[in-house]
């Protein structure tokens, strides 16, 4: 058995070595090979991390949107078919990878996919390797879609009356914002309590405890974002009138927005400190979430 190792941020044990096998570290395969901002794509080696890539792209007006909650490597994110906090708008690794370079078990090196927006040539081998967790070959490079960097980002931390109310809020936001919803995270009181207990300087944005919270973020690439901000306020106000939202805080600065995000990003760390058994990625269709949660 041959196990490729990237950054080691995965929580599901894919990179645990085999006593009778070989572990291959990809740590030196960390170069951005090319950026084609005009075509909204790039090609990177497997151990380029998402934060490294976005720092590299900082002046190009584009960014890579998949955020699994850790500074994971692109090869590992491809191998595990990672998703994350912005999947509601940008999808998962399956939707942003257009090609891969893979070393097969017999040593052959193959390139799958292409940089074109559409192609019907050959088998769809790219999606065969995405999510294969290193069992079919070792991913050494990937071609990724890039997206325009948002000019306006507005975040709200809301207490919702129920899980069903949260899903109704999501549906309204998606309908009324013109596909501007970038982030929608449902957070339970249990998780909030653990973060506030274990993570220094964490604060509840609403000042009192509720059973269900939502981190909702709208983005726009337009120069003038006053209309989106006003629309966001209107969505929140109407949802509060209808009893979907019990309380809400709309970030008034980037620092406040980052404070909202720290509550979400420290959820896993707070569970580890508590000694909780961490289970991940149980997925159901959006409309089924309330029934599943119950």
């Amino acid at each position: 058995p041959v196990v490729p190792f990237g950054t080691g941020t995965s929580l599901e044990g894919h990179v645990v070595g085999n006593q009778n096998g070989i572990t291959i570290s990809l740590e030196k395969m960390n170069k951005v090979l090319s950026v084609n901002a005009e075509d909204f794509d790039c090609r990177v080696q497997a151990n380029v991390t998402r934060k490294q890539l976005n720092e590299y792209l900082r002046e190009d007006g584009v960014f890579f949107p998949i955020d699994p909650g850790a500074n994971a490597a692109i090869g590992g994110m491809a191998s595990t078919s990672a998703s994350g906090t912005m999947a509601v708008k940008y999808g998962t690794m399956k939707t942003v990878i257009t090609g891969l370079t893979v070393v097969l078990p017999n040593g052959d090196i193959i390139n799958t996919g292409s940089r074109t927006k559409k192609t019907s040539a050959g088998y769809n081998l790219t999606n065969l390797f995405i999510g294969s967790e290193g069992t079919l070959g070792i991913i050494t490079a990937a071609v990724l879609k890039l997206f325009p960097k948002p000019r306006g980002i507005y975040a709200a931390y809301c207490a919702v009356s129920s899980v069903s109310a949260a899903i109704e809020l999501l549906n309204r936001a998606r309908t009324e914002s013109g596909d501007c919803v970038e982030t929608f995270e449902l957070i339970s009181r249990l998780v909030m309590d653990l973060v506030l207990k274990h993570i220094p300087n964490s604060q509840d944005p609403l000042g009192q405890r509720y059973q269900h919270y939502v981190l909702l973020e709208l983005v726009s690439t337009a120069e003038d974002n006053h209309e989106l901000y006003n629309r966001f306020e209107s969505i929140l106000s109407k949802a509060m009138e209808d009893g979907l939202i019990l309380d809400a805080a709309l970030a008034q600065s980037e620092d406040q927005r980052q404070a909202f995000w720290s509550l979400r990003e420290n959820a896993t760390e707070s569970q580890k400190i508590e000694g909780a058994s961490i289970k991940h990625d149980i997925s159901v269709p959006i409309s089924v979430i309330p029934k599943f949660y119950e």
Side-chain angles (χ1 to χ4, degrees):
V2 177
V3 180
F5 188 95
T7 57
T9 54
S10 168
L11 298 172
E12 283 82 15
H14 321 91
V15 294
V16 175
N18 184 293
Q19 185 173 348
N20 300 314
I22 299 168
T23 294
I24 295 182
S25 171
L26 304 179
E27 63 183 323
K28 293 185 179 180
M29 302 194 74
N30 60 357
K31 296 180 179 60
V32 177
L33 300 174
S34 63
V35 173
N36 308 286
E38 67 276 17
D39 291 327
F40 292 96
D41 69 38
C42 67
R43 185 168 183 264
V44 302
Q45 290 184 327
N47 216 51
V48 170
T49 68
R50 65 175 188 85
K51 289 184 178 180
Q52 174 192 349
L53 176 57
N54 279 324
E55 179 62 25
Y56 190 94
L57 297 170
R58 193 158 49 93
E59 303 299 326
D60 294 311
V62 292
F63 83 116
F64 176 70
I66 308 301
D67 172 8
N71 191 22
I74 298 301
M77 291 169 66
S79 294
T80 58
S81 192
S83 53
T85 56
M86 293 188 281
V88 69
K89 181 172 179 65
Y90 299 106
T92 70
M93 290 299 280
K94 285 185 178 179
T95 56
V96 300
I97 295 177
T98 63
L100 294 170
T101 301
V102 183
V103 181
L104 300 180
N106 67 353
D108 287 350
I109 300 174
I110 63 169
N111 291 291
T112 73
S114 77
R115 289 182 53 225
T116 60
K117 289 299 179 186
K118 67 172 189 172
T119 177
S120 57
Y123 296 116
N124 186 2
L125 294 178
T126 303
N127 276 6
L128 178 65
F129 284 102
I130 297 172
S132 64
E133 298 184 5
T135 58
L136 301 179
I138 299 175
I139 295 171
T140 59
V143 179
L144 307 170
K145 293 181 184 178
L146 302 175
F147 295 82
K149 188 179 294 184
R151 297 178 185 271
I153 306 177
Y154 302 111
Y157 220 91
C158 310
V160 291
S161 55
S162 66
V163 178
S164 296
I167 302 307
E168 174 62 23
L169 174 62
L170 170 61
N171 291 335
R172 287 190 186 188
R174 295 176 80 176
T175 301
E176 297 175 23
S177 70
D179 194 36
C180 292
V181 176
E182 180 178 71
T183 302
F184 190 89
E185 291 280 308
L186 177 63
I187 301 170
S188 70
R189 176 170 178 167
L190 173 62
V191 170
M192 175 71 82
D193 286 346
L194 288 178
V195 173
L196 295 176
K197 175 181 176 182
H198 292 297
I199 305 301
N201 302 318
S202 295
Q203 293 183 339
D204 185 339
L206 304 179
Q208 61 175 305
R209 296 290 197 281
Y210 295 92
Q211 291 301 313
H212 308 290
Y213 299 85
V214 161
L215 174 57
L216 173 61
E217 200 163 63
L218 268 58
V219 300
S220 171
T221 56
E223 292 280 2
D224 185 2
N225 292 289
H226 291 297
E227 182 182 347
L228 179 62
Y229 182 84
N230 293 335
R231 199 181 311 168
F232 200 4
E233 281 191 319
S234 176
I235 291 169
L236 297 177
S237 177
K238 183 67 165 59
M240 194 169 290
E241 290 176 10
D242 294 341
L244 301 179
I245 293 177
L246 302 176
D247 198 0
L250 184 56
Q252 299 301 314
S253 66
E254 180 60 20
D255 286 345
Q256 192 175 7
R257 174 177 169 263
Q258 291 302 326
F260 290 174
W261 269 103
S262 70
L263 294 170
R264 165 62 180 88
E265 291 178 339
N266 284 306
T268 299
E269 183 63 25
S270 66
Q271 291 177 64
K272 288 166 67 176
I273 294 171
E274 185 76 9
S277 176
I278 299 174
K279 306 295 181 187
H280 276 267
D281 295 337
I282 300 170
S283 299
V284 297
I286 291 175
S287 62
V288 182
I289 289 175
K291 180 175 175 59
F292 171 77
Y293 189 95
E294 290 170 9

